[in-house]
Amino acid sequence: MSQQDKGVRRRPPRVTIKDVAQAAGVSPSTVSHAYSGRRAISAKTRERVFAAAEALGYSADPHARSMRTGSSGMIGLVLRPRFAATGAPEASETFNRLAGSMATECLRRGIGLVHVPDPSRPDYAAVPMDGCIIAHPYAGDPMIDLLASRGIPVVCADPDPDRPDLPWTAGVDYAEGMRAVFDALGVEAGAKVWLMPGSEDNAWNRAARSVHAEWCAGRGAVPEVHVLSEALSSDEARACVAGLLDAEGAPAALVHSLSKLTGPVMEALSAAGLAVPADVRLATLTDSSFARAAHPPVTALDLNHEGLAAAAVDLLLDRIAGGSPPAGPIRVRPQLNVRESTQP
Amino acid sequence: MSQQDKGVRRRPPRVTIKDVAQAAGVSPSTVSHAYSGRRAISAKTRERVFAAAEALGYSADPHARSMRTGSSGMIGLVLRPRFAATGAPEASETFNRLAGSMATECLRRGIGLVHVPDPSRPDYAAVPMDGCIIAHPYAGDPMIDLLASRGIPVVCADPDPDRPDLPWTAGVDYAEGMRAVFDALGVEAGAKVWLMPGSEDNAWNRAARSVHAEWCAGRGAVPEVHVLSEALSSDEARACVAGLLDAEGAPAALVHSLSKLTGPVMEALSAAGLAVPADVRLATLTDSSFARAAHPPVTALDLNHEGLAAAAVDLLLDRIAGGSPPAGPIRVRPQLNVRESTQP
DNA sequence: CTGAAAGCGCTAACAG
DNA sequence: CTGTTAGCGCTTTCAG
């Protein structure tokens, strides 16, 4: 058969540890140990080994190494609300920020981070990882169990709302932060306060509902809840809010979860002849450029994704290293950014 | 020895293909083929195999599979300007956006994306990947050669400025976009136009310098170049610009590369008693929330990282599949966002 | 249609 | 200090 068999790419034949051993006149295990340093090697032979390796362009096959050692030096990341990444580019700000923070934290520590493809796809190929972070899991998220059943150490970044007490979990302290948001509204007893949470059943949306209910009860405010789904386009969101304002009348304050929909919400208010903050106080439960750049700028809760990422990565490395679960819950604090939309 | 030997973690013994074979009463190769479909299996045995696998909780070891097949179903990403990720959280917007876009594009296609840790670290472990994207490479970037020498298919997202004609490269069309930025300044012949590029030697900073020089020559404007390094803190940047204004006098227009330093630049101008846009026209060569949220909002070139990511991933998949290099250069178009800072 | 067996490249016992 | 050897779990010939 010729050098040139039809269309088959000519992967350069891999240089193996044996080739290096032969070239250096030593045994394969000596080469291995020269690299790993797991047993003493005389300086002279080490030099010879490295020289041979250099000359041949050797580098260890990560597949083979991982197979033997059982670990890959990488951790996985599964970022729930997948749709967060499927909208318009500008709507991916939250996804990007959390994913980017995770990557940054891993790179700092010299480990690889792999974005795990959706295992439910037919063409799915399992990915090698020493452990996995599941960010913003759904209630009873089957992904947690799937990975656990494969023996992969899992850490949740934000709790599974149906299993808040899973030991290996880091989360954002939503309750405190969200109470501060409602406090910032500065509305009086008897006022109607709308909450417009997202439709996904995760810790964040659940916290919004419960804090809203409690807070209104405590202050004698009148709670109303209207879902504003993550799946909505800007036009749909505007229409949705416009319809509600028409049907229900204007609230004294409106808190919506998704700041990527802040623009449409404000347009609907404006179209109904309502001024922010004079007629309606407005706040949102994620901070983003949308909240900052709105007119007027909108009070928002910065979820501190960087802090969550750092905590989750630390926790996972701990778990992989065989540590015991932390005694108490690990909580990072979000930060309230008060802006004009709540300042009369 | 007891179940509880000192501190050693009890990794659950892996369920292998052999276990499944035994449980199903078939041979290992049959199990393998039942999954891969690479040879005909009777429906009955396939059922038995899957049932056994399910019962035992089997899933193929990705290390072993990759070792055998030689591919892992993942691609790597090396994002240059590493420091982009080491500043304040808010300064990572560009890093996050590019990394997030890459992840999104991979997830869409069902492949894994791994952020490759810095190979120059002492504790570095090679990462398994079928190919790798190097984003924003430096001039003569050794990373390109390092990976290529290991036989890893590489694609550049933005050219190596010293090797712009490397065939497997997708890039942003800076020349056209940046000319539009300078045009938007609306300054007259004889006017002094500052360029403040970053200090990294990559395609973006080089393009800024050459377009600035050419454009000024063509319009009879007076070019001045002052580096504003990516490594500067906000305070340092402000001081740097203030010092220059003091020493050199105010320009008619100031174009700086890094929009994360837009705030400090504007503060320095303001401290020198210069108003934007009345006294000085201001523009920046990356768009970000800093440019949008500034007062006044600053004209900026949106680099279209999403488009670049999509193009680079497509190109790499092509290369991995054995395609031939594209005939011409692949260029994505940036978008100019004109804002008040250049509108008199 | 199915089984047996070789071997991917590496590491870690075990033996000097 | 160094060499020999036995696999890690999977895929893929080669035989039936």
Side-chain angles (χ1 to χ4, degrees):
Chain A
M1 185 162 278
S2 85
Q3 268 292 78
Q4 177 116 336
D5 29 13
K6 38 193 164 178
V8 174
R9 259 166 327 125
R10 196 139 290 294
R11 272 204 155 288
R14 174 166 263 291
V15 180
T16 79
I17 206 170
K18 272 188 175 165
D19 301 323
V20 176
Q22 192 160 21
V26 298
S27 80
S29 66
T30 301
V31 177
S32 173
H33 288 119
Y35 277 96
S36 70
R38 294 179 66 83
R39 84 180 184 194
I41 302 280
S42 80
K44 240 186 305 186
T45 36
R46 201 210 319 280
E47 278 322 305
R48 248 182 325 136
V49 166
F50 287 160
E54 177 81 12
L56 297 177
Y58 168 77
S59 74
D61 181 339
H63 303 122
R65 193 206 291 275
S66 298
M67 161 125 146
R68 199 48 240 250
T69 63
S71 87
S72 62
M74 311 190 316
I75 67 172
L77 173 64
V78 174
L79 201 38
R80 284 317 204 165
R82 286 247 173 257
F83 65 83
T86 63
E90 302 229 323
S92 333
E93 191 172 320
T94 295
F95 172 93
N96 289 352
R97 187 168 158 207
L98 184 52
S101 301
M102 293 281 184
T104 299
E105 292 303 327
C106 289
L107 260 17
R108 263 197 229 299
R109 293 168 175 75
I111 61 177
L113 176 74
V114 46
H115 292 264
V116 179
D118 186 347
S120 68
R121 287 177 65 125
D123 54 345
Y124 172 70
V127 126
M129 49 189 173
D130 298 343
C132 189
I133 293 172
I134 300 181
H136 302 312
Y138 298 129
D141 202 319
M143 191 68 169
I144 299 174
D145 310 287
L146 174 65
L147 293 180
S149 78
R150 293 193 182 168
I152 296 175
V154 169
V155 156
C156 293
D158 249 23
D160 175 336
D162 275 352
R163 294 177 281 181
D165 296 325
L166 281 185
W168 293 98
T169 299
V172 177
D173 191 344
Y174 293 122
E176 185 184 320
M178 289 181 181
R179 275 194 290 268
V181 171
F182 285 99
D183 285 340
L185 297 174
V187 297
E188 291 160 16
K192 195 160 68 173
V193 176
W194 277 15
L195 172 70
M196 305 196 76
S199 56
E200 298 252 301
D201 192 15
N202 55 28
W204 177 57
N205 280 323
R206 285 227 190 156
R209 286 168 179 271
S210 70
V211 169
H212 173 242
E214 262 178 39
W215 186 90
C216 285
R219 304 303 172 102
V222 181
E224 262 184 46
V225 177
H226 304 288
V227 171
L228 197 60
S229 168
E230 288 87 350
L232 261 38
S233 71
S234 290
D235 287 345
E236 291 166 339
R238 190 178 341 102
C240 168
V241 175
L244 285 166
L245 289 172
D246 197 44
E248 312 278 338
L254 191 166
V255 175
H256 58 292
S257 290
L258 299 155
S259 64
K260 70 174 182 182
L261 297 180
T262 291
V265 169
M266 292 178 83
E267 286 160 22
L269 289 168
S270 167
L274 298 164
V276 173
D279 301 318
V280 178
R281 308 292 163 80
L282 188 68
T284 175
L285 298 178
T286 31
D287 203 357
S288 74
S289 60
F290 298 99
R292 286 192 291 276
H295 293 285
V298 173
T299 292
L301 189 65
D302 186 303
L303 261 19
N304 188 8
H305 292 112
E306 292 78 16
L308 183 62
V313 171
D314 280 338
L315 201 58
L316 181 55
L317 292 183
D318 237 45
R319 181 163 199 184
I320 291 172
S324 356
I330 293 186
R331 291 280 171 271
V332 304
R333 305 173 66 114
Q335 182 190 314
L336 176 63
N337 292 320
V338 177
R339 305 203 177 93
E340 288 176 41
S341 71
T342 55
Q343 297 184 310
Chain B
M1 189 161 277
S2 84
Q3 268 292 77
Q4 177 117 338
D5 30 11
K6 36 191 167 176
V8 175
R9 259 166 328 124
R10 196 137 294 292
R11 272 207 155 288
R14 173 166 263 291
V15 181
T16 78
I17 206 171
K18 272 188 174 167
D19 301 322
V20 176
Q22 191 158 23
V26 298
S27 80
S29 64
T30 301
V31 176
S32 173
H33 289 119
Y35 276 96
S36 70
R38 293 180 67 84
R39 83 180 185 194
I41 302 281
S42 80
K44 240 185 304 183
T45 36
R46 200 209 320 279
E47 278 321 306
R48 245 175 334 130
V49 167
F50 287 160
E54 176 82 13
L56 296 178
Y58 169 77
S59 71
D61 180 338
H63 302 122
R65 195 206 290 274
S66 298
M67 160 127 145
R68 209 36 244 250
T69 63
S71 88
S72 62
M74 312 191 313
I75 67 174
L77 173 64
V78 174
L79 202 36
R80 284 316 204 164
R82 286 250 174 256
F83 65 83
T86 63
E90 301 228 322
S92 337
E93 190 172 320
T94 296
F95 172 93
N96 288 353
R97 186 167 158 209
L98 184 52
S101 301
M102 293 280 182
T104 300
E105 292 302 327
C106 289
L107 260 18
R108 265 198 227 300
R109 293 167 175 74
I111 60 177
L113 176 73
V114 45
H115 293 264
V116 179
D118 186 349
S120 69
R121 287 177 64 125
D123 55 344
Y124 172 71
V127 126
M129 48 189 173
D130 298 344
C132 188
I133 293 172
I134 300 181
H136 301 312
Y138 297 130
D141 202 320
M143 192 69 170
I144 299 175
D145 310 288
L146 174 66
L147 294 180
S149 78
R150 293 192 183 169
I152 297 174
V154 168
V155 156
C156 293
D158 248 24
D160 175 338
D162 275 351
R163 293 178 281 181
D165 296 324
L166 282 184
W168 293 98
T169 299
V172 178
D173 191 345
Y174 293 123
E176 184 184 321
M178 289 181 181
R179 274 194 290 266
V181 171
F182 285 99
D183 284 340
L185 297 174
V187 296
E188 291 160 17
K192 196 161 66 174
V193 176
W194 278 15
L195 173 71
M196 304 195 78
S199 57
E200 298 253 300
D201 192 15
N202 55 28
W204 177 58
N205 280 324
R206 286 225 190 158
R209 285 168 179 270
S210 69
V211 169
H212 173 243
E214 262 178 40
W215 186 90
C216 285
R219 304 303 172 103
V222 181
E224 262 184 45
V225 177
H226 303 288
V227 171
L228 198 60
S229 167
E230 289 87 351
L232 260 38
S233 72
S234 291
D235 287 345
E236 292 165 338
R238 188 176 346 98
C240 168
V241 176
L244 286 166
L245 289 172
D246 198 42
E248 312 277 338
L254 191 167
V255 175
H256 58 293
S257 291
L258 299 155
S259 64
K260 70 175 182 183
L261 297 180
T262 291
V265 169
M266 293 179 82
E267 287 161 20
L269 289 169
S270 166
L274 298 164
V276 173
D279 301 317
V280 178
R281 309 291 163 77
L282 188 67
T284 175
L285 298 178
T286 31
D287 204 358
S288 75
S289 60
F290 297 98
R292 287 191 290 276
H295 293 287
V298 173
T299 293
L301 188 65
D302 185 305
L303 261 19
N304 187 9
H305 291 112
E306 293 77 16
L308 183 62
V313 172
D314 280 339
L315 201 57
L316 181 56
L317 292 183
D318 238 45
R319 180 164 201 184
I320 292 171
S324 357
I330 294 185
R331 290 283 170 268
V332 305
R333 304 173 66 114
Q335 184 190 315
L336 176 63
N337 292 320
V338 177
R339 305 203 178 93
E340 287 175 43
S341 70
T342 55
Q343 297 185 311

